[in-house]
Amino acid sequence: MYPPRFDYVAPTNVDEVLAVLAQRGDEAKVLAGGQSLIPMMKLRFAFPELLVDVNRVPGLDAIDDADGHLRVGALVRHNDVVGSDVVTRANHTMAAAAPWISDPLVRNLGTVCGSLAHADPLGDWGSVMLACGADVVARSTSGERVIPMDDFITGPFTTALEPTELVTEVRVPKYAGTGGGSYLKLERKVGDYATVGVAARLDFDGGGTITNAGIALTSVAPNNIRAPDAERALVGQAPSDALFAEAAELTARAAQPKDDVRGSVEFKRNVVRVFTRRALTTALEHARA
Ligand SMILES: Cc1cc2nc3c(=O)[nH]c(=O)nc-3n(C[C@H](O)[C@H](O)[C@H](O)COP(=O)(O)OP(=O)(O)OC[C@H]3O[C@@H](n4cnc5c(N)ncnc54)[C@H](O)[C@@H]3O)c2cc1C
């Protein structure tokens, strides 16, 4: 099906993008990779009168390692993360998740920030960024806002973004001491959205105590969610199989899966339990390596 008619602009710098959004934000949509927006328009679920194509804006396509953060620009594609040495070294959760996003075509075009802005409950990056305690940076003509991921996703396909705002980057904290992470995803076939996804990240101090824990879930709640009870149970503890089993149980309880063609509630909850334990074990192995 063809999308409805729309106007199209392709600004060549951020200020131009912000000026257009300030004028016509209510009827406009930012076009990044187009891998969610264009299908939505073709299916007539989205009717923007104006597309603001940001693909010609320079300076938004880098992954920088600066000030204790990885800064992932608005035009960083899923495949840029797959091939990033910086990410491989500094963030095991992101490195594990990126190859799981769909197929090579989608990974070549779709962006990390576009995925966050889209806030699909089945999207993988939302969980990764929640587990990693990331911040989304949004700009408008009124200035810059730094929005913690915990406040960014407000519901299925809804975020704290204003229609006048452009996400310019997501900032992901680096490990405070040593650390590790993982992302595990069950899918029905290669390239599918998650039946269940579990993102985990652990930070450790010099003595091996867990100083920070992040666990977040894909596809088993109305939107990407954290498992706060499990995170609290981990912090301040020395890692052990028993501790990870307890955290896995608490994470399974936090999940809110629904019966559907991808599986029953019991099945999905058990996948969450098993994946959480495995992801925490892998995070520990990374930290020790
Ligand atoms: C066949 C297929 C399979 C897929 N499988 C998966 C999967 O397994 N896992 C997964 O996580 N995702 C999957 N996706 C979605 C894919 O990851 C998209 O790339 C992503 O959801 C959106 O990123 P995008 O850059 O394409 O955004 P777009 O489609 O361009 O935009 C999506 C939304 O975000 C807004 N937006 C985009 N960038 C910005 C910005 N910088 N500032 C403000 N608003 C912005 C747009 O206005 C729009 O509302 C799949 C998509 C397809 C087509």
Side-chain angles (χ1 to χ4, degrees):
M1 201 195 293
Y2 291 109
R5 292 183 69 83
F6 55 87
D7 295 335
Y8 172 88
V9 289
T12 52
N13 62 60
V14 169
D15 287 339
E16 277 179 43
V17 174
L18 302 184
V20 176
L21 292 178
Q23 275 185 349
R24 296 188 61 188
D26 281 335
E27 67 219 38
K29 281 278 181 199
V30 171
L31 176 70
Q35 296 304 291
S36 295
L37 181 56
I38 300 298
M40 297 266 288
M41 289 170 66
K42 286 184 169 178
L43 291 167
R44 310 257 164 161
F45 290 141
F47 308 85
E49 291 174 20
L50 172 67
L51 288 191
V52 185
D53 184 345
V54 295
N55 285 280
R56 291 180 203 167
V57 177
L60 296 178
D61 59 352
I63 304 175
D64 295 327
D65 180 352
D67 307 330
H69 289 86
L70 288 187
R71 296 179 357 178
V72 181
L75 289 177
V76 169
R77 319 281 167 179
H78 309 308
N79 245 353
D80 296 330
V81 181
V82 175
S84 165
D85 291 340
V86 179
V87 172
T88 305
R89 276 197 309 273
N91 191 301
H92 302 94
T93 318
M94 287 175 65
W100 282 105
I101 312 285
S102 190
D103 53 42
L105 296 178
V106 173
R107 286 201 293 275
N108 276 333
L109 285 168
T111 63
V112 175
C113 290
S115 184
L116 297 176
H118 187 52
D120 187 334
L122 274 52
D124 299 294
W125 287 119
S127 300
V128 170
M129 296 306 167
L130 279 170
C132 291
D135 293 320
V136 175
V137 181
R139 278 180 61 187
S140 71
T141 51
S142 309
E144 183 176 284
R145 281 204 299 155
V146 178
I147 310 167
M149 264 309 288
D150 282 328
D151 301 330
F152 184 72
I153 297 176
T154 53
F157 300 101
T158 31
T159 69
L161 269 188
E162 297 293 338
T164 51
E165 286 179 316
L166 172 75
V167 174
T168 52
E169 65 186 30
V170 56
R171 287 183 194 154
V172 193
K174 291 172 67 181
Y175 302 123
T178 57
S182 187
Y183 186 73
L184 293 175
K185 175 172 172 176
L186 178 69
E187 53 186 24
R188 290 177 302 178
K189 58 183 174 60
V190 172
D192 194 11
Y193 284 94
T195 298
V196 174
V198 176
R201 167 189 169 127
L202 295 174
D203 294 47
F204 298 87
D205 66 15
T209 299
I210 299 168
T211 54
N212 173 56
I215 301 174
L217 305 177
T218 310
S219 295
V220 286
N223 42 263
N224 301 114
I225 56 162
R226 292 177 79 133
D229 290 343
E231 292 171 345
R232 270 193 295 274
L234 290 163
V235 173
Q237 305 296 320
S240 68
D241 286 346
L243 180 68
F244 289 170
E246 181 194 348
E249 185 54 42
L250 291 169
T251 305
R253 281 188 217 158
Q256 306 157 34
K258 288 215 160 65
D259 278 319
D260 61 18
V261 289
R262 293 167 195 258
S264 67
V265 167
E266 294 74 21
F267 169 70
K268 291 180 188 176
R269 209 183 284 286
N270 197 44
V271 175
V272 170
R273 186 179 291 112
V274 172
F275 274 11
T276 304
R277 199 168 171 173
R278 283 187 200 164
L280 292 171
T281 304
T282 304
L284 175 63
E285 285 166 5
H286 283 309
R288 286 186 172 158

